[in-house]
Amino acid sequence: MRKGEAIENRTIRLFIWNVLFPILLGGLFYYFFCPDVLFVMRLNKWFATRYYDSTPFLANNFVLFIRNYFLDYMWAYSLCCSVCILNIEGGFALLKGIIVTGVLGAVLEILQLVGIAKGTYDVWDILIEIIGAFTGALIINKFRRKQHEKD
């Protein structure tokens, strides 16, 4: 395997584990724990399913934490990683990832506050999204440093 192919394969694996996997995992969590989310309601309508009729665990505190914060963390982590990976050769890629994620998260929360977007405004969501962005940037940075040591 040539050096260029090895770098490309590492980047693809990085993308799969840090962008696609969190999105798919978050989608599964949404489906099983958030019956009132538009995405889930449409899936249930398309596939004619009603999983939630006998699901008492939806009021559990752990489930509420996942629903209210962890899913926001996952999408912010994934978004920041994707911005960092797409800018892997560009300067300030990590900073760009954090800024894009933080600004988008804040804008979405403000749209919820003023009633333009469906959802409930929560300042903690913005903090969780920024933490997700920082986590994504730290992992991408660690990956880059490890790769520079190998190369």
Side-chain angles (χ1 to χ4, degrees):
M1 183 180 307
R2 294 187 322 246
K3 183 177 178 181
E5 289 175 358
I7 291 171
E8 185 175 307
N9 287 338
R10 288 190 302 245
T11 303
I12 290 170
R13 281 194 306 261
L14 184 70
F15 186 82
I16 289 170
W17 284 109
N18 293 288
V19 177
L20 295 181
F21 183 71
I23 289 173
L24 291 174
L25 185 62
L28 286 173
F29 277 127
Y30 264 119
Y31 185 76
F32 289 112
F33 299 124
C34 306
D36 58 338
V37 171
L38 186 61
F39 162 73
V40 175
M41 290 188 292
R42 290 228 172 113
L43 280 178
N44 286 336
K45 185 177 179 182
W46 290 337
F47 296 112
T49 58
R50 302 253 337 140
Y51 168 77
Y52 306 101
D53 290 341
S54 61
T55 322
F57 65 89
L58 290 177
N60 178 316
N61 286 333
F62 178 71
V63 172
L64 290 174
F65 172 78
I66 289 174
R67 178 190 168 108
N68 294 332
Y69 299 110
F70 186 68
L71 296 173
D72 289 339
Y73 172 88
M74 295 286 280
W75 83 255
Y77 172 86
S78 181
L79 176 63
C80 183
C81 285
S82 65
V83 171
C84 292
I85 291 168
L86 292 174
N87 288 297
I88 206 150
E89 297 301 327
F92 301 105
L94 300 175
L95 185 60
K96 287 178 190 174
I98 293 168
I99 290 171
V100 166
T101 305
V103 168
L104 184 60
V107 166
L108 289 173
E109 288 301 316
I110 290 168
L111 291 175
Q112 291 175 3
L113 176 65
V114 298
I116 295 174
K118 185 178 178 190
T120 305
Y121 170 79
D122 186 358
V123 72
W124 290 106
D125 284 351
I126 297 170
L127 180 63
I128 290 293
E129 291 155 2
I130 291 171
I131 291 170
F134 270 104
T135 306
L138 288 172
I139 287 177
I140 297 299
N141 188 44
K142 183 176 180 178
F143 171 80
R144 283 191 185 158
R145 287 182 185 207
K146 186 176 175 183
Q147 292 312 312
H148 284 297
E149 289 172 4
K150 284 183 178 180
D151 297 337

